[in-house]
Amino acid sequence: MGRVHRPESEAAAITPDPDVPRPAILTSLGLSASDEERVGDYRDAALTHVADLWPVAGVAMLAAPLALIVAALVSGAHGLAATMALVGFPAVIAALGVFVLLRFVVAQQLAPHQRTLLLAAVVATGALSLFALSAVAGAFTDPGFRVAASVALFGTIIVTAVVIQPVAAATIAFAAALAFATLVQHGLSWASGIAVILAALLTYGVIGRSRAGLAELAEQEEAAGAELLASRLVTEFESHGSGWFWQTDRGGRLTYLSDKVAREVAGFGIKAKGEALTRVFRVDTALAETERTLTFHLSSRTSFSDYSVRPAPEEAPERWWSISGRPLLDQFGRFQGFIGSGSDLTEKRRAEAEITRLALFDSLTGLANRQRMRLSLEQMLSPQQRTQGSNTLFLLDLDRFKAVNDTLGHQVGDELLKQVAGRLQKTVGDAGMVGRLGGDEFKVIVPREGNRERLATLADAIIAALSRPYYIDGATISIGCSIGIAIAPEHGDDPEALVRNADLALYAAKGDGRGVHRFYRDELLEGAQYRRQLEDDLRQALKQNQLHLAYQAVVSTKDERIVGYEALLRWSHPTRGFVSPAEFIPVAEECGMIEAIGEWVMRTACSEAATWPDHVRVAVNVSPIQFANPALPSLVTSALATSGLPPRRLELEITEGVFLNEDASSERMFAALKRIGVRLALDDFGTGYSSLGYLKKAPFDKIKIDQSFVRGAINESNRNAAIIKAIVTLADTLGMETTAEGVEQQDEIALIRELGCSHIQGYVYGKPAPSAAVHDQLAQPDGKAIAVGFKTSRAQRHKVLRAARATMAGETAEVRIRDVSTGGVLIDGVDLPPESIGYEMTIELIDGQFVPATIRWIDDGRAGLQFAYPLDIDQLIQSTQRRAA
């Protein structure tokens, strides 16, 4: 497209706003961190420029002191030479220090603002040394030597100042050092006053120049981005849209016409470029909304809009466009011609018809779309329809659909959605209206039906139909379906409430293992409100310092010495008391707070561990969300640098969940973390990702054996000990350490040592302790850990007789609690097969709070459950007392 002139009003739009605040001084000088990539590139370029020219200044800064020392030795002033060597030594170090700072790879790993600060400090040191040399050089008895020394030192100062001028902070530091040295040497005098004034003026000028540079950089980037975006949008619009553009000169002759329209009118025998606009198009008098013609507007230089036109030749075939135009002025307000746009009226009419269709139907599946389903739901719940009985809403979500898209492609995914829509319509039939909300979400409206048994039968039929295998392009695909059900008016008498409650029921269905249906119940809303309140409280907890770290010792099985601690996050709520991490960590992951909390944990753990003995490490958990963030290495580096903790003393614990989306970025992240020098540990080994292939590539230093294998390993009746032995053998083969988690009984220590584990972690060596208690533990003789766990006994159990709800595999049942301890509970009134041992279930011990547990034994209608985490017995007893009251 030819160059389009901007009118003065448009040109003014890209002028920087004078009200926009200027960059802060530290930012303009490059002394503060910046998340803007362009600023980082700008600072890197300045440092690179100095690095390229520094050999000149560095040689001068090295040569000047050496030349003066040689001159003093030649003149026989050995004492003066020694003084010069002492005074000039910082200049020599500065010359080499700048080279190391700007050229060495290790130094280049620092952030640009950190390197800038160091550069400023180094050159300031060099300036002080050079100034001091100039004062010492005055002791030369030979006038020629004095003059030569002054020239050499003054020249070195000038060369250095010229070389470092791209870095504003270094220039100011250099000048300030010289002014300070003048003030020290001459006191309050004319010379020192002039030096200070000149340094202040230079500082003012450099800051102004730096601010202007950043502002110009931002303006250039904005202008370039705007121009590139405009070009891309025009090209995209012309290539794929129904619209097009045109432009004329002052005489009304076309200087530009979109290629697709130019080719079309060329077929009518019209060469558009250079031809008068009125000889290419004419107003359609039948459709014109005004009596004024194109000629009138072109001659009067007035704007026009949405004029229906057709090809000017009478013999041209039927063809219709709509065009708009306005006069184009230059920056001095002089008329330059017309500029405008057009669109195909025929395509527009087709598009309008298509929009009408899309307003009510999904384009992919042909089902009713979100808009039509909303209207139908509103009609169904209107006051006029409420007298006809209950109405029901199904919300459906396909299970494992994302994996189909990721592995087989979106085309297969679209075809799968079409087949799902067909099965869904066939299964529902005349019982209800089926619609697609978008993605893999569907909705079914079942009017005049509120019987739960019939609704459950329909839901099960839908799940069964959608779960049967699909055959697409030679591939066999298996997915599932989860359904949330809400009945009106029982679960809401308006669309918003009904949709919300059906969505909560769908959330519960997914949480119960997927592939099931769940009806809405009031507890779900209470749970959602509880999670939302927990989220709000968690945001305040981070601001109000309610979070703290507790440290659990990691003990060597070889000599029983404490070799490290795992940092465990704890939350002391002002009204709720202790909130379990099992409750608030998932909430933090869902609401996006996990990265902010993770950064706080990283920095706090490094800071506190820096006060421990040099041989004691600290382990910090890294969630899969944190691991996927490319900024994680920078965060780790910053935390280590701020705290002063050596990288070898930091161990990052990573769960197997990071391998679910294993790709090249995971390998790059592992490589980046290992370059920092930190240790990597694979946490909860054996409980998540089933493949062991990643152990060949992931550079782990340690494998942490999950406590589910450790607990009960001492009993010969299970195979946990054999599993632990196999894991240890695997780790030894790969050169990795092993840590057995969850060791609670003293008689398990010998077993773990016998199985070959290198480290132990668990309550057997005490509960997680605050930072202050860590120093007391490490102060024990030889740093050895003291076993405090039960020798062979189990935790104290409390007799409790009360009813509770337990859920397993999507089924909920009432059970009776007989006794409970911090680690487990005895229940009866259950009818579980022996094969259920080892399965997970949840039990409602405290009103509204379900605790995950594992079935450890079953005997004659009774079962023993082991909690996933220690339980607050006092809280349970208080809840039981409130129930009894």
Side-chain angles (χ1 to χ4, degrees), residues 21 117 218 356 437 486 538 557 560 564 666 674 709 776 784 804 819:
L117 180 61
T356 301
L437 303 183
L538 189 57
T557 56
E560 296 187 2
S666 298
K674 291 305 292 183
F709 298 116
D776 296 335
K784 288 194 173 183
D819 61 32

Side-chain angles (χ1 to χ4, degrees), residues 422-436:
R423 292 188 186 183
L424 191 54
Q425 276 190 308
K426 183 178 179 181
T427 305
V428 175
D430 297 332
M433 180 179 180
V434 179
R436 178 179 175 230

Side-chain angles (χ1 to χ4, degrees), residues 411-649:
Q411 289 184 343
V412 174
D414 288 347
E415 180 60 31
L416 176 59
L417 289 175
K418 293 178 184 178
Q419 293 192 22
V420 166
R423 292 188 186 183
L424 191 54
Q425 276 190 308
K426 183 178 179 181
T427 305
V428 175
D430 297 332
M433 180 179 180
V434 179
R436 178 179 175 230
L437 303 183
D440 61 342
E441 297 178 348
F442 294 84
K443 180 188 286 187
V444 177
I445 296 175
V446 185
R448 298 178 298 280
E449 181 60 78
N451 183 279
R452 292 194 173 219
E453 291 185 4
R454 288 193 291 268
L455 292 172
T457 301
L458 177 60
D460 290 337
I462 292 174
I463 293 172
L466 300 189
S467 300
R468 294 197 306 270
Y470 298 81
Y471 304 97
I472 302 175
D473 292 343
T476 302
I477 302 172
S478 295
I479 60 172
C481 172
S482 300
I483 301 178
I485 307 173
I487 305 172
E490 178 183 351
H491 300 150
D493 55 5
D494 62 86
E496 290 75 15
L498 200 64
V499 170
R500 179 200 65 196
N501 293 338
D503 194 47
L504 289 173
L506 176 60
Y507 183 85
K510 292 180 180 179
D512 289 343
R514 301 178 181 268
V516 296
H517 72 268
R518 289 291 178 264
F519 286 91
Y520 170 78
R521 58 182 189 274
D522 292 339
E523 301 94 288
L524 298 179
L525 180 58
E526 294 172 2
Q529 292 172 339
Y530 175 80
R531 289 191 299 272
R532 185 165 56 250
Q533 184 60 51
L534 199 65
E535 176 184 335
D536 295 339
D537 292 350
L538 189 57
R539 296 185 188 279
Q540 296 301 318
L542 194 58
K543 297 178 183 178
Q544 298 176 2
N545 298 321
Q546 296 175 12
L547 302 178
H548 67 277
L549 295 182
Y551 296 92
Q552 187 171 47
V554 179
V555 180
S556 170
T557 56
K558 181 179 180 181
D559 53 15
E560 296 187 2
R561 293 184 65 195
I562 298 176
V563 297
Y565 286 88
E566 180 181 357
L568 302 173
L569 184 60
R570 295 292 184 260
W571 181 10
S572 297
H573 193 280
T575 57
R576 300 176 191 268
F578 173 77
V579 182
S580 170
E583 285 188 64
F584 70 82
I585 291 298
V587 172
E589 292 178 337
E590 288 180 9
C591 70
M593 288 189 60
I594 191 64
E595 292 193 76
I597 293 176
E599 179 176 353
W600 179 86
V601 171
M602 182 77 67
R603 294 187 181 279
T604 304
C606 289
S607 176
E608 294 181 344
T611 64
W612 303 345
D614 190 57
H615 71 280
V616 180
R617 295 191 293 261
V618 64
V620 177
N621 289 279
V622 175
S623 73
I625 295 176
Q626 289 177 277
F627 187 84
N629 188 346
L632 177 60
S634 299
L635 166 62
V636 174
T637 303
S638 174
L640 291 172
T642 303
S643 64
L645 185 73
R648 60 179 174 78
R649 291 182 57 199

Side-chain angles (χ1 to χ4, degrees), residues 16 315 318 391 515-516 577 612 617 647 670 767 784 831 859:
E315 66 277 7
E318 296 292 322
N391 300 286
V516 296
W612 303 345
R617 295 191 293 261
F670 279 120
K767 295 183 178 181
K784 288 194 173 183
D831 185 17
D859 182 22

Side-chain angles (χ1 to χ4, degrees), residues 865-883:
L865 310 183
Q866 182 180 18
F867 298 142
Y869 52 83
L871 187 70
D872 186 346
I873 293 298
D874 293 336
Q875 187 178 8
L876 173 61
I877 294 175
Q878 291 172 6
S879 173
T880 302
Q881 291 173 346
R882 286 196 300 269
R883 274 195 170 193

Side-chain angles (χ1 to χ4, degrees), residues 22-30 32 34 36 38-40 42-43 207-221:
R22 295 181 298 172
I25 292 179
L26 291 180
T27 300
S28 62
L29 295 180
S32 63
S34 175
E36 299 184 49
R38 60 180 176 82
V39 176
Y42 180 75
R43 294 174 178 176
I207 292 175
R209 185 194 67 184
S210 300
R211 281 176 164 169
L214 287 179
E216 182 181 0
L217 183 66
E219 182 180 350
Q220 290 175 353
E221 183 178 36

